[in-house]
Amino acid sequence: MRKGRPLTVHTLNELLLVCSLVLLVAVAAVRISSRSGLPSLLIYLGIGIAIGQDGIGNVVFDNAELTQVIGYAALVVILAEGGLGTKWKEIKPALPAAIVLSLVGVAVSVGITAAGAHYLVGLEWRQALLIGAVVSSTDAAAVFSVLRKVPLPSRITGVLEAESGFNDAPVVILVVAFATVGPIDDWYVLLGTIALELAIGVAIGLTVGFVGAYGLRHVALPASGLYPIAVMAIAVTAYAAGAMAHGSGFLAVYLAAMVLGNARLPHWPATRGFADGLGWIAQIGMFVLLGLLVTPHELVHDFWPAVIIGLVLTMVARPLEVFVSLLPFRIPWREQALMSWAGLRGAVPIILATIPMVSGIEGSDRVFNIVFVLVVVYTLVQGPTLPWLARKLELGATDESASDLGIESAPLEKLRGHLLSFAIPAASRMHGVEVSELRLPPGASVTLVVREGKSFVPLPSTVLRRGDELLVVATDPVRDAAEARLRAVARGGKLAGWLGTGGNGSTRSRG
């Protein structure tokens, strides 16, 4: 990293001003990201580079150890937020395939990518193995930010989401092993270490999650605002306990958050919104810091090596790991093709690339630069083309009619019910359906319709129109069934049930 005179901040007011301006610009960049189809990580990395030592801000920052610590903390928050938003009923069918892809697939990817880095680029084996391990971790936020407008079969989204949550754990173990000064452990020692740490992480994550969920359901906190804080604290506790027990803290926090997210906790909408906001702040801070750490003029020398290694990873290693891992599950080739192209790399590889820098491994600066360029270049290539590929493979809708309803849910705790609210999209097949034709389960009813700024109580014969906003009250036992039915009608119209159109399609909207 290049040394220079750092930009200093003299007062707390100046520090707050700088941080608030960066945050405002980053939040505004979310809109650019959503309109362009690019993952938001590129926008935030660009902000960090722009204010860095080769940019307009001339801020010199080269503390890899601090970046690693902050990056780990941000990853804990991001994994917790992802786990809280994971629906067990959607991910359960895809779990076996995702686990195999996260273990066997990582091994295949590391081996092929490392071989390419060694024989095609000329890196030493330790550096090649480090790069192979670092870039083997996929990123859920990057994947789903570009797929948010393309509804896909739940099997694809389930596998991709679970893989991105699970594969961080073995990858971190491999990177730490390869970055240890001295000879690298034998392969069977690494396999044993991975198996042990994953088992400890699973045990602690599930235990903390179930105990925490039980406590939150049976202990009344004095203020509703404490529930979101308590949920995040429980998730972070799972990470800390897993790491202190020499297990996988990342796997522990993801599983604990997933248990909490499916436990029907009090004040859940507030908790979900709080976690989502923390996830955004963690992403913004992490990516901006990574952009600050990199020295742009040094990237030129490692551009083509990164492109070559990226080609090996994208065109050979990723498709082969998907094929080998999913062979026992008989997944159609079109879905395998999309999963192969959807192996986006995000913040995790760049954060992991700081581990050999902190360990003092020879050539670690070059490893970091190659990983940084690889992530940026191939996210630029893969990100915008993912929706196009999904449509070409006939796995995504060609219009907005299948777009998922943005249903908001608020608990009516004393009444033991839920208030569901949503707006009918412009091209939704719910347009023209009568209220009675929604065929909601007993215990759920449309109580209010807002049309052109005026609200009224609908009759069974009221015809719904595009742009209508609906309020649906559902008792607690039928809440999920009512939401599933609404999504089914939005996708298949009034004949959704008879035509076999389900309401469990999943699109994950993450920035």
Side-chain angles (χ1 to χ4, degrees), residues 83-89 205-218 227 231 234 254-269 271-272 411 413 418 476 479-480:
L84 291 174
T86 299
K87 294 183 179 180
W88 173 248
K89 64 179 181 180
L206 294 178
T207 301
V208 172
F210 282 116
V211 172
Y214 179 85
L216 289 176
R217 285 198 303 264
H218 291 82
Y227 283 91
V231 168
I234 292 171
Y254 182 77
L255 290 177
M258 187 168 63
V259 171
L260 292 168
N262 289 272
R264 296 182 177 273
L265 299 178
H267 303 285
W268 181 244
T271 300
R272 194 70 191 90
E413 294 179 12
H418 292 265
D476 191 63
R479 185 255 186 215
D480 290 340

Side-chain angles (χ1 to χ4, degrees), residues 5 87 92 159 180 196 300 308 390 479 491:
R5 183 179 180 182
K87 294 183 179 180
K92 182 180 178 181
V159 170
T180 302
L196 178 60
V300 177
I308 294 173
R479 185 255 186 215
R491 294 175 184 275

Side-chain angles (χ1 to χ4, degrees), residues 132-169:
V134 163
V135 299
S136 295
S137 179
T138 57
D139 186 84
V143 171
F144 286 99
S145 66
V146 297
L147 290 178
R148 62 189 177 274
K149 293 184 179 179
V150 184
L152 296 172
S154 58
R155 177 165 58 181
I156 296 180
T157 57
V159 170
L160 291 175
E161 183 173 357
E163 179 202 9
S164 61
F166 292 155
N167 65 10
D168 291 343

Side-chain angles (χ1 to χ4, degrees), residues 84-123:
L84 291 174
T86 299
K87 294 183 179 180
W88 173 248
K89 64 179 181 180
E90 294 179 1
I91 202 176
K92 182 180 178 181
L95 205 55
I99 292 175
V100 175
L101 192 58
S102 301
L103 296 176
V104 177
V106 164
V108 173
S109 179
V110 171
I112 295 177
T113 306
H118 176 72
Y119 291 110
L120 298 180
V121 178
L123 296 179

